[in-house]
Amino acid sequence: MKKRVLLAGAALAAMTVAGAMTVSAEEDLITVGFAQVGHESDWRTASTQSCQDVFTAENGYELVFVDCDNDSAVQLEAVRNFIEQDVDYIIIDPIVSTGWDTVLTECEDAGIPVIVIDRTIDDSDKYVSWVGSNFKTEGLAAGEWLKAYADAKGIEELNILVIEGSTGASATIGRTEGFKEIADKYGWTILDSQTGDFTQDGGQEVMESYCKSYEGQFNVVVCQNDNEAFGAMDAMTAAGVSYGVDGDVILISFDACTAGLQYVQAGDINADFECNPLAAPFVEEVIQQLEAGEEPEKEVYMEEHWFVYDDTVPSITVDGTEMEMTVVTDEIVEAQY
Ligand code: GZL
C-alpha cells in the first residue's frame, strides 16, 4: 500500500482554520516528485509556476520540487531520490532525450508512475503519459512563415544564422529538424548553427560572434527561444545591425513568452512560435485518471499559436494543414504566461 503524506496536527489545524480545505481527522495528500530542467528561461519559470499552482495541499497534493540546474546527473539523482522517498507520482521534464531507460525501469520496479512533460524521452517508453508540444511542427511553421514573408517582401535570397537551444534537448532537435527541412526545400543557406543553451547570455555571446564572423552576410536570425532572442538583439544593437520589421535582419523566435510578445508587438521580433509551458493541469488530469483506475492517453499535445507583428502573412500551410498567424494585441500580451 503506497505511503501517503498524512496532513495532521498543526498543519491540518492551520488549514482547517484558514478554511483552505475541509478535512477529516487525517487527509491523504498525493505526493508528486517533479524533476524540473532548471531555471534558464522565462518559459521555464512559467512551467515551474504552473506545477506549483496546481500541486498544492489545498488541491490534495504535496509537491516535492527539484530544480536540476540543467545538469542531467542531478536530474537522474533527483528521480532516484523520489523513488527512495516512495512518492506517489514522478514528473520529469528531461534535460536531454536519452539515458533514461535504466532509471525509468527503477521507477517501474518501484511501482511509481512517471509522467513526462515538455521535452521528450527518446530511448524508453516506460512512462504513463507525455504532455507537451510538437517541436518539429514549430520548426516547420517557422520555415513556412519565413518563406511566405520573404515572398511578400520581395526578398529573394535568405542567408540564415541559427542560435540553437540546449544540445540534446528534444526542443532543440525538433525545431532544428523542422526548420532545416524547409530551408532545404527552398534552397536557403544556413550560414551557421550554434547552441545558445536557451539562455539570454548564450544568445548574446553567439550573436556577438556571428556579427564578427558573418558581418554583412546574413539577413535572417532564428533563435530557438525568446531569451536567446533578447540576447541576440542586444548583440546586434551593439554591432549596429538593424533587425525586426523595419530592419535589415528578420528575427524569428520560439516560446512566445510575455516579454517575447512585447517585442513582436514593438516590431523587434518578426515572428514568435509559441510553445505552451502550462502543462500542470493536463498532468493533474492524468494523475486523477490513474487514481480512478483509468488509462490516460500516452501523448497529450498542448495548444499553441504563431504570433506576428502584422497580417503580411495571414496564414501558412504546414504538412498540408492551414494554420492561422496571430497578430499580437495588448489583450494577447496581457493574457500570456
Ligand atoms: C521547450 C522547452 C524549452 C523552451 C526554452 O518546450 O523545453 O526549454 O523553448 C526552455 O525556453 O529553456
Side-chain angles (χ1 to χ4, degrees), residues 55-130:
F55 298 111
T56 61
E58 293 84 347
N59 289 341
Y61 298 94
E62 184 197 16
L63 179 65
V64 184
F65 175 77
V66 177
D67 172 339
C68 300
D69 199 19
N70 231 24
D71 183 330
S72 294
V74 169
Q75 190 164 51
L76 292 172
E77 182 186 0
V79 173
R80 290 192 164 97
N81 286 339
F82 292 152
I83 296 172
E84 280 299 305
Q85 296 166 47
D86 194 22
V87 299
D88 296 306
Y89 296 94
I90 293 174
I91 302 172
I92 300 170
D93 188 334
I95 295 167
V96 294
S97 54
T98 54
W100 285 100
D101 194 60
T102 302
V103 77
L104 291 184
T105 304
E106 292 166 24
C107 294
E108 193 173 66
D109 293 345
I112 302 175
V114 172
I115 299 154
V116 179
I117 65 169
D118 176 29
R119 299 180 187 177
T120 57
I121 286 177
D122 297 338
D123 66 349
S124 177
D125 66 353
K126 296 185 177 95
Y127 53 86
V128 172
S129 292
W130 165 84

Side-chain angles (χ1 to χ4, degrees), residues 40-41 43-44 118-119 135 171 175 198 224-225 255 275:
E40 73 287 357
S41 65
W43 190 99
R44 189 64 52 201
D118 176 29
R119 299 180 187 177
F135 304 121
R175 289 170 190 162
F198 283 137
Q224 289 188 350
N225 85 327
D255 282 354
C275 182

Side-chain angles (χ1 to χ4, degrees), residues 11-292:
L12 175 61
M15 296 187 86
T16 45
V17 166
M21 59 195 297
T22 304
V23 292
S24 59
E26 287 189 326
E27 179 67 22
D28 283 0
L29 291 181
I30 297 172
T31 56
V32 178
F34 177 23
Q36 175 62 293
V37 165
H39 50 275
E40 73 287 357
S41 65
D42 293 25
W43 190 99
R44 189 64 52 201
T45 301
S47 165
T48 295
Q49 191 60 54
S50 176
C51 282
Q52 290 172 336
D53 290 347
V54 168
F55 298 111
T56 61
E58 293 84 347
N59 289 341
Y61 298 94
E62 184 197 16
L63 179 65
V64 184
F65 175 77
V66 177
D67 172 339
C68 300
D69 199 19
N70 231 24
D71 183 330
S72 294
V74 169
Q75 190 164 51
L76 292 172
E77 182 186 0
V79 173
R80 290 192 164 97
N81 286 339
F82 292 152
I83 296 172
E84 280 299 305
Q85 296 166 47
D86 194 22
V87 299
D88 296 306
Y89 296 94
I90 293 174
I91 302 172
I92 300 170
D93 188 334
I95 295 167
V96 294
S97 54
T98 54
W100 285 100
D101 194 60
T102 302
V103 77
L104 291 184
T105 304
E106 292 166 24
C107 294
E108 193 173 66
D109 293 345
I112 302 175
V114 172
I115 299 154
V116 179
I117 65 169
D118 176 29
R119 299 180 187 177
T120 57
I121 286 177
D122 297 338
D123 66 349
S124 177
D125 66 353
K126 296 185 177 95
Y127 53 86
V128 172
S129 292
W130 165 84
V131 179
S133 303
N134 189 319
F135 304 121
K136 182 176 179 183
T137 298
E138 292 168 9
L140 291 169
E144 291 294 3
W145 172 85
L146 178 57
K147 168 61 176 168
Y149 184 81
D151 287 352
K153 295 290 184 184
I155 302 169
E156 291 180 9
E157 189 177 339
L158 295 177
N159 293 298
I160 302 162
L161 290 169
V162 178
I163 301 179
E164 294 180 12
S166 301
T167 303
S170 58
T172 303
I173 295 165
R175 289 170 190 162
T176 300
E177 184 185 341
F179 186 80
K180 187 170 184 316
E181 186 173 303
I182 303 303
D184 293 345
K185 174 178 165 185
Y186 295 119
W188 299 336
T189 302
I190 296 181
L191 296 166
D192 208 336
S193 191
Q194 294 177 26
T195 179
D197 217 12
F198 283 137
T199 65
Q200 182 161 339
D201 288 348
Q204 182 166 349
E205 283 161 26
V206 171
M207 197 67 235
E208 283 169 352
S209 167
Y210 281 166
C211 286
K212 293 186 181 83
S213 306
Y214 301 99
E215 185 179 358
Q217 299 174 48
F218 63 94
N219 58 357
V220 181
V221 171
V222 179
C223 295
Q224 289 188 350
N225 85 327
D226 287 329
N227 295 80
E228 290 176 345
F230 304 158
M233 286 190 279
D234 289 344
M236 285 193 279
T237 298
V241 175
S242 63
Y243 51 84
V245 296
D246 296 323
D248 296 331
V249 172
I250 297 168
L251 180 57
I252 293 171
S253 185
F254 293 83
D255 282 354
C257 69
T258 299
L261 293 187
Q262 288 168 328
Y263 281 114
V264 173
Q265 198 176 25
D268 294 320
I269 293 176
N270 293 79
D272 203 343
F273 295 82
E274 185 182 37
C275 182
N276 188 334
L278 309 181
F282 299 91
V283 175
E284 188 192 20
E285 199 172 312
V286 168
I287 289 174
Q288 288 305 317
Q289 287 172 321
L290 293 169
E291 289 285 302

